[in-house]
């Protein structure tokens, strides 16, 4: 290639700006275009190594004999170039790696049966199994029984508990902000996520307060639609919604620009609190400059229509009623719609100011982020929330759940909102008690066992309904079980009686179940809970 042609190419790659007299201009620079895609360095005392999470067998001298022992590499300390080996009996021992980390990186791919030495060639090791991308310790040592695996009754190995260095770390703990940090070790991509829960004492005080909180989310989305579009072009997304204790904001995408979008969203969000420096109420409770009056009316109409369309299907209406029975402060869509019949922008702003008079923010910054990034996130959040009073922990809204009465035939029947709805939905709910790990696993196992027989009997054989299911429920810290049928050919009484009959009859099948069949369900549930992602 000639030098003249090369120079021509170099000149052509530079943008040619139009003359100042032309009306043609380049589009504005997108501020959310990421510039950095590097992975942040892990802490040196718990870093990455090609042997990490591999299953090994080490040859150790015991007296005059040498024996092979299975173990798993649980941790790597790059400062002292040593690995922490977890033995089968639960003991953990540090061993110094003879080969330097740079030499391991020269190996294109660590293969099975790879051999090396530890502790100055005193200990020999052999690689037995290598984890897949994103997988933790597999703990497979090549001596599993084939017939156990074929029968599906081989219980999977339980990985060791995570060390403290791999658990979320508390960076800031004040009444206003409680911020946690966790650096990603699994996906190894230049992405991150920031989750914020903005706790407000009065966010769910009444149907009117909850409706105003939901209207605020709509207005925030409408006011930042141009900013969010520029961010979405760069694969940076966000969402905000109201909940029982306040609001939840989630920003995720390339970690290089997460805080830029978070800052824009929080500043617009807190601008709805009104101008407290103005003495006149008419000026204090005006809509933010980013929200126009006609957009307020449009978002209010959207919210009213959303309330009007809620619960039109029998299935969603049935689930909503169950939750409202358990949580009296879950307001119905009709109650919220009735509460905002006479609302205007001034009343809305006064209510929002009352909702956010005192706040507390809880957050988790996770992904390709280190401690320096979390410190920056802390400054962004505190800067946006400057001027707000922190809400004490004891004043946080209580998440109370009603106790289901221990009476037989405790039925609640309600007609569907849509008179043309042909379906009937029935949920039979059993409340088991407060959250407990053992009780929750037992309930999960019971639902795992009962799901297929219930579907096969009521859906496949008897055609009792087109939607038949059962599953465990975790309602604000309370464990439960739910059996659900949606049908257009049976009445609610018939469905309820059939579910009760199935539960009573299946008790005998559960007692007489073969140990092999029971173990298959146990193994299936264990594998499901140990999935990589």
């Amino acid at each position: 290639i000639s030098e003249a042609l090369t120079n021509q190419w170099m000149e052509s790659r530079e943008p040619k700006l139009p003359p100042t007299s032309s009306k043609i201009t380049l589009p504005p620079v997108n501020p959310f275009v990421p510039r950095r895609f590097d992975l942040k360095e892990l802490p040196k005392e718990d870093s990455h190594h090609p042997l990490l999470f591999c299953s090994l067998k080490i040859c150790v001298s015991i007296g005059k004999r040498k024996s092979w022992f299975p173990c798993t590499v649980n941790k790597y300390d790059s400062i002292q170039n040593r690995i922490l080996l977890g033995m089968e009996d639960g003991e953990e021992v540090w061993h110094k790696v003879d080969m330097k980390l740079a030499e391991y990186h020269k190996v294109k791919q660590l293969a099975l049966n790879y051999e090396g030495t530890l502790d100055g060639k005193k200990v020999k090791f052999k690689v037995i199994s290598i984890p897949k991308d994103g997988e933790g310790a597999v703990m497979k040592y090549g001596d599993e029984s084939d017939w156990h695996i074929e029968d599906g009754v081989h219980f999977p190995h339980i990985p060791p508990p995570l060390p403290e260095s791999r658990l979320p770390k508390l960076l800031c703990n004040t009444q206003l902000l409680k911020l946690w940090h966790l650096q990603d070790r699994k996906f190894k991509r230049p992405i991150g996520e920031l989750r914020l829960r903005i706790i407000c004492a009065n966010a769910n005080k009444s149907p009117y307060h909850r409706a105003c909180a939901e209207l605020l989310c709509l207005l925030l989305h409408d006011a930042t639609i141009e900013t969010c579009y520029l961010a979405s072009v760069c694969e940076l997304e966000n969402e905000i919604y109201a909940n029982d204790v306040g609001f939840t904001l989630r920003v995720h995408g390339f970690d290089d620009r997460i805080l830029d979008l978070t800052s824009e969203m929080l500043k617009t969000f807190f601008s709805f609190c009104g101008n407290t420096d103005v003495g006149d109420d008419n000026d204090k409770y005006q809509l933010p400059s980013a929200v126009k009056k006609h957009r307020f009316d449009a978002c209010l109409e959207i919210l009213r229509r959303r309330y009007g369309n809620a619960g039109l299907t029998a299935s969603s209406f049935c689930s909503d009623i169950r939750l409202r029975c358990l949580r009296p402060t879950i307001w119905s869509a009709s109650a919220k719609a009735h509460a905002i019949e006479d609302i205007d922008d001034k009343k809305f702003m006064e209510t929002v100011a009352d909702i956010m008079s005192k706040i507390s923010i809880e957050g988790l910054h996770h992904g390709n982020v280190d401690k320096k990034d979390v410190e920056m996130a802390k400054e962004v959040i505190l800067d946006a929330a400057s001027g707000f009073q922190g809400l004490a922990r004891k004043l946080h809204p209580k998440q109370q759940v009603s106790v289901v009465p221990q009476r037989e035939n405790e039925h609640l029947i309600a007609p569907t909102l849509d008179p043309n709805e042909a379906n009937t939905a029935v949920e039979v709910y059993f409340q088991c008690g407060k959250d407990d790990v053992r009780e929750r696993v037992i309930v999960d196992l019971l639902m795992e066992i009962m799901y297929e027989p219930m579907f096969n009997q009521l859906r496949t054989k008897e055609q009792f309904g087109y939607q038949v299911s059962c599953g465990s429920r975790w309602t604000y810290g309370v464990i439960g079980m739910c059996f659900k049928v949606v049908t257009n050919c049976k009445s609610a009484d018939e469905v309820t009686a059939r579910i009760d009959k199935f539960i009573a009859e299946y008790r005998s099948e559960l007692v007489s179940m073969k140990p092999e069949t029971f173990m298959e369900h146990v193994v299936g549930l264990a594998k499901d809970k140990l999935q990589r992602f």
Side-chain angles (χ1 to χ4, degrees), residues 412-426:
L412 179 63
I413 302 174
T416 55
L417 300 178
D418 184 5
N420 298 320
E421 172 65 49
N423 295 317
T424 298
V426 175

Side-chain angles (χ1 to χ4, degrees), residues 14 24-25 37 40 91 105 109 112 129 134 160 175 212 229 231 236 267 302 306 327 384 457 482 496 500 525 530:
E14 298 296 332
I24 302 175
T25 59
F37 302 93
K40 305 296 173 61
E91 183 184 2
H105 288 315
Q109 186 174 5
L112 294 177
S129 63
Q175 283 191 358
C212 287
Y229 171 74
L236 194 62
K267 287 179 180 178
I302 292 174
R306 183 179 297 176
R327 287 289 310 278
Q457 184 65 35
C482 186
T496 304
D500 291 341
L525 180 63
L530 291 174

Side-chain angles (χ1 to χ4, degrees), residues 173-176 178 197 199-202 245 358-360 362 390-400:
N173 188 12
T174 64
Q175 283 191 358
L176 182 59
K178 189 174 185 179
R197 184 168 66 168
I199 302 171
C200 311
N202 299 326
V245 297
K358 289 186 178 181
I359 64 172
S360 179
E362 295 179 351
L391 182 66
R393 300 280 190 271
K394 62 181 180 180
L395 298 179
H396 286 192
K398 304 298 182 182
Q399 301 286 309
Q400 295 179 343

Side-chain angles (χ1 to χ4, degrees), residues 202-215 303 307 328-341 343 351 355:
N202 299 326
N204 202 42
K205 183 178 178 180
S206 66
Y208 177 71
H209 284 73
R210 180 59 182 269
C212 287
E214 293 176 355
L215 178 57
L303 185 63
Y307 290 154
T329 54
I330 296 181
W331 313 111
S332 66
S334 59
K336 291 184 286 188
H338 179 72
I340 58 174
E341 282 183 351
I343 194 174
T351 307
I355 290 175

Side-chain angles (χ1 to χ4, degrees), residues 213-228:
E214 293 176 355
L215 178 57
L216 170 58
C217 295
L218 281 176
L219 290 169
L220 176 64
H221 174 74
D222 188 80
T224 59
I225 191 167
E226 293 183 4
T227 300
C228 293

